[in-house]
């Protein structure tokens, strides 16, 4: 955009209209606003790569958590499921134990033992 185009758009030749701003003034104002926006913006957090979890430690933690879970679920459901065959009882226990592990037990254990898992 040049000064002539801005003048034509604002009708600078018409005495009743305000005079147009200079193109350089507009550019300067926009640059200043842009700099202020970046200066006042909150700094972005750089994404970090999570530390690698030691698989043997995760296995050990899972074994230590799933054994009591299965035992407690087995004891709790034994009066109801004792007449059923073992595969049917396991078909009930395994999904319940897996759900407990995924949504309740593992998140708490990993929060508590997170630093140990990555050492």
């Amino acid at each position: 955009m040049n000064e002539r185009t801005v003048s034509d758009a604002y009708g600078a030749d018409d005495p009743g209209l305000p005079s147009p701003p200079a193109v350089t003034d507009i550019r300067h104002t926009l640059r200043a606003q842009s700099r202020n926006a970046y200066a006042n913006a909150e700094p972005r957090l750089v994404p970090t790569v999570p530390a690698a979890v030691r698989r043997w430690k995760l296995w050990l933690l899972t074994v230590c958590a799933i054994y009591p879970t299965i035992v407690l679920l087995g004891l709790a459901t034994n009066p109801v499921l004792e007449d059923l065959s073992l595969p049917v009882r396991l078909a009930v226990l395994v999904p319940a134990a897996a759900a407990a592990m995924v949504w309740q037990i593992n998140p708490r254990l990993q929060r508590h033992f997170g630093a140990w898992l990555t050492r």
Side-chain angles (χ1 to χ4, degrees):
M1 245 165 106
N2 61 27
E3 300 244 355
R4 177 77 181 142
T5 307
V6 172
S7 295
D8 290 344
Y10 276 87
D13 297 334
D14 188 358
L17 296 175
S19 62
V23 174
T24 54
D25 291 343
I26 293 171
R27 288 182 185 154
H28 176 73
T29 303
L30 291 175
R31 282 189 189 123
Q33 288 174 351
S34 176
R35 271 189 240 114
N36 290 340
Y38 285 122
N40 295 334
E42 294 183 22
R44 290 185 178 176
L45 297 177
V46 178
T48 58
V49 177
V53 173
R54 308 286 184 203
R55 290 191 186 268
W56 71 269
K57 291 180 178 183
L58 187 58
W59 172 83
L60 181 65
L61 196 62
T62 303
V63 167
C64 291
I66 204 159
Y67 177 75
T69 302
I70 291 175
V71 169
L72 290 174
L73 281 173
L75 291 173
T77 59
N78 193 34
V80 177
L81 302 176
E82 67 184 343
D83 296 336
L84 301 175
S85 64
L86 180 62
V88 176
R89 277 189 280 167
L90 290 176
V92 172
L93 288 177
V94 170
M101 288 295 295
V102 168
W103 284 295
Q104 293 295 319
I105 299 168
N106 272 349
R108 291 177 181 167
L109 288 176
Q110 287 181 0
R111 200 174 312 124
H112 186 72
F113 292 102
W116 176 76
L117 288 170
T118 56
R119 265 191 263 147

